[in-house]
Amino acid sequence: MTKYLLLKHYRGAPAPVNDVPMDRWEPGEIAAHVQFMEDLASKLRASGEFLDSQALAPEGTWVRHDAPGRPPVTDGPFPETKDLIAGWMAIDVDSWDRALEVADELSSAPGAGGEPIHEWLEVRPFLEPGHDAGA
């Protein structure tokens, strides 16, 4: 089994087919989207493939250690993760192909008008002990 992170992006990925920002969806469309996500998580939980999923709030900041007792906080000039990553699902599956199947299903979540979003998801394997990070 290999763990994968399926990243949902606000920006930085190609535009989805149903490219209507969630802040312009009707309450029922948001509820249908959340229910889809919960149903998929339940299905993956039942198969033993689900690890975690989270939606992220838009606020956040960068923190870097400078010296003992002084962790300065800065907002740039870095890309804003809070603007890029909307949330994730972590899975533990037996193959890359299965990770792609799960991402494909996740991409079909409903959005505006109840139509599938067809969003692009970033699929990243966890770095496992003994794995060559440069490979």
Side-chain angles (χ1 to χ4, degrees):
M1 300 289 277
T2 303
K3 296 177 179 109
Y4 293 90
L5 189 61
L6 311 179
L7 288 166
K8 298 170 71 66
H9 292 272
Y10 286 121
R11 299 182 315 169
V17 174
N18 187 354
D19 194 16
V20 178
M22 189 179 261
D23 63 1
R24 293 187 10 220
W25 295 3
E26 297 295 324
E29 295 166 342
I30 293 171
H33 181 81
V34 169
Q35 186 63 55
F36 177 94
M37 301 295 287
E38 290 174 1
D39 291 347
L40 179 57
S42 292
K43 180 173 129 180
L44 293 170
R45 202 173 279 113
S47 69
E49 297 173 310
F50 181 82
L51 295 175
D52 185 40
S53 65
Q54 298 292 324
L56 297 174
E59 54 276 342
T61 195
W62 288 89
V63 177
R64 178 184 63 88
H65 176 77
D66 186 37
R70 293 187 346 185
V73 176
T74 180
D75 235 356
F78 312 106
E80 298 279 353
T81 304
K82 63 188 177 197
D83 292 336
L84 300 176
I85 301 173
W88 73 82
M89 179 175 283
I91 58 174
D92 192 2
V93 295
D94 59 6
S95 69
W96 171 253
D97 288 340
R98 178 63 182 142
L100 296 181
E101 288 173 6
V102 174
D104 177 70
E105 187 170 355
L106 184 57
S107 174
S108 73
E115 296 297 317
I117 300 171
H118 298 286
E119 68 183 316
W120 289 92
L121 299 169
E122 184 178 354
V123 179
R124 306 248 335 246
F126 282 32
L127 186 61
E128 301 287 343
H131 181 270
D132 180 7

